[in-house]
Amino acid sequence: TKPGVYTVEEFNPDPFLDALDKYGLICPATHTSFTEYEENLDALIARHQKWGCAHPGVGAMPFHFAESEEGYREFARRANAVGKKLKDAGMNLIYHNHAFEFKKYNGRRIIDMLVEDTDPELFGFIMDTYWVQYGGGNPADFIRRLSGRMKVCHFKDYKIDSENKPDFAEIGTGNLDLDE
């Protein structure tokens, strides 16, 4: 091309990829809204391939799905479909939990439904130790339970602050049994 005239491929700056290259980093996983997966999956796949990232992650279930057991089931069905397309592209869909997934419907927690009602080949996890503890679970138990389905873990410590409220803590200074 002539100076000042670019093709789309030539003029497609990617500051994230530039930063990875500049600092010698890798991108092991991401957090992206579920809407982006459903509306722009081909572009999302291309972006992750460009970054060398095999673990695209859903940052959280959209709250409207978590408002009912039927909503959760719809999310699981749709997430499995997205997971299939990602698997076909050589990637693993992973899900980042928060505390709201410990809410129960008919005696079952949403987190248990996500583990039990999604396809282990299509739906993995980014277990977040802080949010498991905050939700009333045992992070070590969940790490063991998700063996093979958890490619990434967010290790965050948990404390009760001076106002008796849960808060984040620097790793090793909170209440989590990190050795376990």
Side-chain angles (χ1 to χ4, degrees):
T1 59
K2 296 183 274 183
V5 179
Y6 302 96
T7 66
V8 171
E9 292 78 20
E10 291 171 324
F11 192 72
N12 188 13
D14 187 336
F16 183 70
L17 184 59
D18 292 344
L20 292 175
D21 289 341
K22 179 178 179 179
Y23 297 107
L25 300 173
I26 62 167
C27 178
T30 61
H31 283 47
T32 305
S33 76
F34 192 66
T35 301
E36 182 75 9
Y37 283 90
E38 292 197 303
E39 294 180 2
N40 299 304
L41 187 57
D42 290 340
L44 185 143
I45 289 171
R47 188 169 58 243
H48 283 75
Q49 287 171 334
K50 186 168 147 183
W51 295 339
C53 180
H55 307 292
V58 175
M61 179 189 314
F63 290 121
H64 69 277
F65 287 116
E67 292 175 348
S68 69
E69 187 172 0
E70 297 77 25
Y72 146 75
R73 291 189 188 286
E74 178 66 11
F75 173 77
R77 184 188 67 72
R78 290 162 66 173
N80 276 331
V82 167
K84 172 73 170 99
K85 291 178 183 176
L86 287 171
K87 183 178 180 180
D88 291 345
M91 298 176 184
N92 304 298
L93 177 64
I94 54 179
Y95 178 83
H96 180 270
N97 70 286
H98 292 85
F100 75 88
E101 292 94 350
F102 287 80
K103 180 179 178 177
K104 289 184 178 180
Y105 291 111
N106 295 316
R108 286 180 76 205
R109 298 178 300 189
I110 292 172
I111 192 72
D112 296 324
M113 294 180 208
L114 287 172
V115 172
E116 296 162 7
D117 298 347
T118 55
D119 185 332
E121 297 295 317
L122 305 177
F123 190 94
F125 291 87
I126 306 171
M127 187 52 57
D128 187 309
T129 57
Y130 174 86
W131 290 114
V132 170
Q133 181 73 32
Y134 189 104
N138 178 319
D141 288 344
F142 271 90
I143 289 170
R144 286 188 287 272
R145 182 178 182 195
L146 295 174
S147 176
R149 290 184 75 177
M150 187 179 74
K151 307 296 184 196
V152 179
C153 186
H154 283 181
F155 284 102
K156 299 176 189 170
D157 214 336
Y158 176 96
K159 70 178 180 180
I160 302 298
D161 69 16
S162 61
E163 297 177 13
N164 206 31
K165 295 180 181 172
D167 198 3
F168 295 99
E170 182 178 335
I171 292 289
T173 66
N175 298 340
L176 293 186
D177 184 352
L178 296 173
D179 290 335
E180 183 185 4

